[in-house]
Structure formats: structure tokens, C-alpha cells
Amino acid sequence: MKADPISLIISESINTDLIFYFITGNEITLIEKIKEKIVQEFSKKYSIKINNVKDLKNTDDNMGLFSDKTINIVNSLNLIEDSLLTKLSLTGNNFIFLIENSAKSKKIKNIFVNRNDSFVIECYELSKDDKVKLLNNWAKLNKLKLDETLFWFLIDKLSNKYIFFERDLDKIQELKEKELNVNNVNLIINQKKTGISKIFFEILNNNSELIKSYNNKIEDINDVSEFYYTIKQFCVLIINSKNKEEFTRNIPLYLFREKSVFVNIFSKFNEDKKRGLINLLYKTEIRMRKSGNFSYLIGLRFLLSLRKLTIS
């Protein structure tokens, strides 16, 4: 069965009678949000154990001694077939798959779509309609009345990436209702947005300069998360581009000042180093999931590893 991610976020509850939750798409921050929402829903009803695994071979098939449910968080498509899923459905445990889009994932997705014990949740950048639903829900929960001008200003200005959309609303929530106007909100939304992403374009500097820049721009866990997901977008562009011409065409327009530096960074990545970059992203996200969030040190370790890979 398919489920809409925005409806799941807005809903007061999520169906926990299912066994498999296959979360896919290309918007990694929304994928993470849906995973968190599902885990939180289970934790309301059961004592749970989280088991982060690479593939189904390493899943925990046994009931925990001190928990009602084991939730296996799976990050690979390896071994997935209908007969194995049927066998795993008898263990009494649950499975959340976090799978970014690929040619293989589209085929596997159909297995879950056709199962009655599964949700398939496809996560992409927020559309205008998505933002309208989320903003209306946010205003309702916080008992706020937004005038029409401010409402549509927010729809236009808030990010299409879920984590940034949510974070800006958290900042706006700190304003008193009488301070809710376009000028004040605009100041909040534009705070630090460019500074954090600039760290990536300093990647060719030496370690001490890079650490200093990171220390100056990263103040809390939210900044680390924003830093990682922003840099990951740049890394994915490098990985997916076949040559310099294709890469240059796909550089976002807002990076016009950094374009030459970005092209220089891309030129340092051959196919072997691209595979290394994929592995670095994977290992960083595994560390994050094991710790529960992005710590300051995980972000710094990622940055220095990225620099080492780039200049090698």
C-alpha cells in the first residue's frame, strides 16, 4: 500500500499494525522525518529496541528480552524478495527501509506496494500544495492566525527541503503573534542560510582553516544537520554528473559566485573517488542513526574526511 508522507506527518497517529515501512525517494530529510515519526508512534505503544542493519541478513529475528518490539532499520536492497518478507513477517518484529531512489529500488518498491502488511512512502521535495498543508497544520497547532500576505510569503520563501522548512517554522514560532509580519519573518528565514553552505567551498583549504570555519559557523546540532544535508546535495551532484559539461549545466543558479570553485572541486573526482564519496556518505549516516542525531563531532569528522578524499 502507498501512503502520503505529508499526511503521515500531519496525522495524529500512524498505523502500527503493519510489518514493513518502505521509505524511498530523493528527499533525504523527509525520509528521516518519516522514519522518526514511525519510530515515535511505536514507542507510544510499545517498549522498543532499534536495530540498525545494512541488509536483511543482519536483522534481529528474535523478540527482545526487555522490549515488546524490535524495529530493524534497513539501509540496503540486498536479499529483498517476497518469500523472505513473508518469513520475516512471522517474527513479530517490524522493519523500516530507508532507500534512496535508484533503478533497482523502483522494482523492489512494487513488491511492497502489493503487500497488505506494508506501507510504501515516497519522499520528494515539498510541492506548493505540500507546504500549504504543512503551514496550515503548523498554524492550527500553535493557534496562530496568519494574514493572507504573510501566509503566501511563507509558502514562497520556505524551503522545499523538509528539514529547513521545519526549522524555519521553529524559529518563527519564537516570535510573538504581534511580531508576525513579512519583515520580521524574512529576517529569520535568511539568517545564516548562506554561511553554512560556504564551508563546502573552502574544502581545499588546509585542515586548520577548515576547522576554524566550521567552528565559526556551526553552533548547535541543528546547524550540523543543515550543514550535512546541504553538503550532501553538492556531493550527489558530483556523483551523478558524467562529465564537466553536464556538471556545469546542473550547478544551481544561486551558486553563481561559487561556480568556478565548484567546477574545480568536481574535476578532482574520478570514478574511484566518487565511489569513495558514496561510501563516506553512507558511513556518516550510519553513525548518525546509531547516535540518534548529528553530533558536532560527526559533522567535523565528515568534513575532514571529505577534504582528505577531495585532495587525495
Side-chain angles (χ1 to χ4, degrees):
M1 297 182 288
K2 286 191 175 184
D4 173 52
I6 307 306
S7 297
L8 293 181
I9 290 172
I10 293 173
S11 175
E12 293 183 1
S13 63
I14 294 177
N15 186 355
T16 55
D17 294 331
L18 303 175
I19 305 298
F20 305 106
Y21 299 82
F22 188 84
I23 313 174
T24 187
N26 59 17
E27 214 292 70
I28 51 179
T29 73
L30 185 54
I31 289 174
E32 283 295 324
K33 177 65 179 182
I34 296 301
K35 181 206 76 173
E36 290 173 8
K37 184 83 187 258
I38 293 170
V39 170
Q40 287 171 4
E41 192 66 26
F42 272 95
S43 66
K44 292 177 186 176
K45 301 178 180 180
Y46 307 100
S47 170
I48 64 171
K49 171 189 172 185
I50 301 296
N51 185 33
N52 290 283
V53 297
K54 183 176 181 180
D55 55 40
L56 290 178
K57 179 175 65 176
N58 300 304
T59 57
D60 187 346
D61 295 341
N62 301 309
M63 297 293 288
L65 291 176
F66 305 103
S67 59
D68 300 318
K69 289 277 188 182
T70 295
I71 299 179
N72 293 284
I73 309 292
V74 186
N75 297 282
S76 170
L77 294 168
N78 291 344
L79 307 176
I80 297 178
E81 57 183 33
D82 201 36
S83 59
L84 178 57
L85 295 178
T86 298
K87 178 182 177 182
L88 291 172
S89 70
L90 302 177
T91 64
N93 294 321
N94 298 84
F95 301 81
I96 299 176
F97 296 84
L98 306 178
I99 307 294
E100 291 185 51
N101 269 359
S102 67
K104 186 177 180 182
S105 72
K106 293 177 182 178
K107 181 179 179 181
I108 298 296
K109 177 181 69 178
N110 290 329
I111 295 176
F112 292 94
V113 168
N114 294 319
R115 294 183 64 94
N116 293 326
D117 58 1
S118 306
F119 260 169
V120 172
I121 307 155
E122 297 180 275
C123 298
Y124 300 100
E125 288 195 3
L126 300 177
S127 67
K128 183 177 181 179
D129 287 344
D130 291 335
K131 292 199 282 187
V132 167
K133 292 175 184 176
L134 289 166
L135 185 56
N136 274 325
N137 185 64
W138 174 81
K140 179 181 177 182
L141 291 174
N142 291 284
K143 299 179 181 179
L144 294 173
K145 291 183 179 180
L146 304 177
D147 67 55
E148 187 173 353
T149 300
L150 178 57
F151 183 90
W152 291 110
F153 172 82
L154 287 168
I155 295 301
D156 181 55
K157 290 295 184 180
L158 289 171
S159 177
N160 296 335
K161 298 288 185 184
Y162 183 81
I163 192 171
F164 305 138
F165 180 94
E166 182 180 61
R167 188 162 304 143
D168 280 339
L169 287 183
D170 288 342
K171 294 175 185 176
I172 293 167
Q173 191 175 337
E174 296 176 7
L175 292 173
K176 297 177 181 178
E177 189 162 7
K178 64 181 180 181
E179 298 173 329
L180 282 173
N181 58 58
V182 169
N183 288 335
N184 288 339
V185 168
N186 191 42
L187 288 172
I188 289 174
I189 291 175
N190 288 321
Q191 279 180 356
K192 290 176 37 173
K193 267 197 172 166
T194 57
I196 289 177
S197 66
K198 297 291 185 185
I199 299 173
F200 176 80
F201 300 103
E202 300 168 0
I203 201 74
L204 300 180
N205 293 347
N206 62 46
N207 275 355
S208 60
E209 290 175 343
L210 204 55
I211 292 170
K212 182 178 179 181
S213 179
Y214 183 83
N215 288 339
N216 287 338
K217 294 180 174 71
I218 303 299
E219 297 177 359
D220 54 35
I221 291 175
N222 286 336
D223 287 345
V224 179
S225 182
E226 181 173 342
F227 159 76
Y228 175 76
Y229 286 120
T230 300
I231 303 312
K232 181 174 181 179
Q233 293 176 57
F234 299 157
C235 292
V236 168
L237 182 56
I238 290 172
I239 292 165
N240 290 339
S241 297
K242 296 178 181 178
N243 52 54
K244 180 179 176 181
E245 290 71 25
E246 179 183 336
F247 176 78
T248 304
R249 285 197 307 271
N250 290 325
I251 294 175
L253 293 176
Y254 71 88
L255 293 175
F256 66 94
R257 290 189 180 88
E258 294 80 17
K259 188 172 183 177
S260 61
V261 177
F262 205 176
V263 171
N264 185 30
I265 292 171
F266 171 78
S267 68
K268 299 184 181 298
F269 281 85
N270 56 27
E271 291 304 312
D272 284 341
K273 288 172 73 171
K274 286 182 180 181
R275 284 190 286 271
L277 185 53
I278 292 171
N279 191 44
L280 173 60
L281 293 170
Y282 172 77
K283 287 183 176 179
T284 301
E285 291 181 26
I286 289 298
R287 291 189 191 104
M288 179 274 292
R289 286 167 187 153
K290 286 182 177 178
S291 67
N293 54 42
F294 278 111
S295 71
Y296 176 89
L297 290 176
I298 288 177
L300 182 58
R301 182 176 180 181
F302 166 71
L303 177 63
L304 295 178
S305 296
L306 178 58
R307 177 187 180 274
K308 182 178 180 181
L309 178 63
T310 303
I311 67 173
S312 64

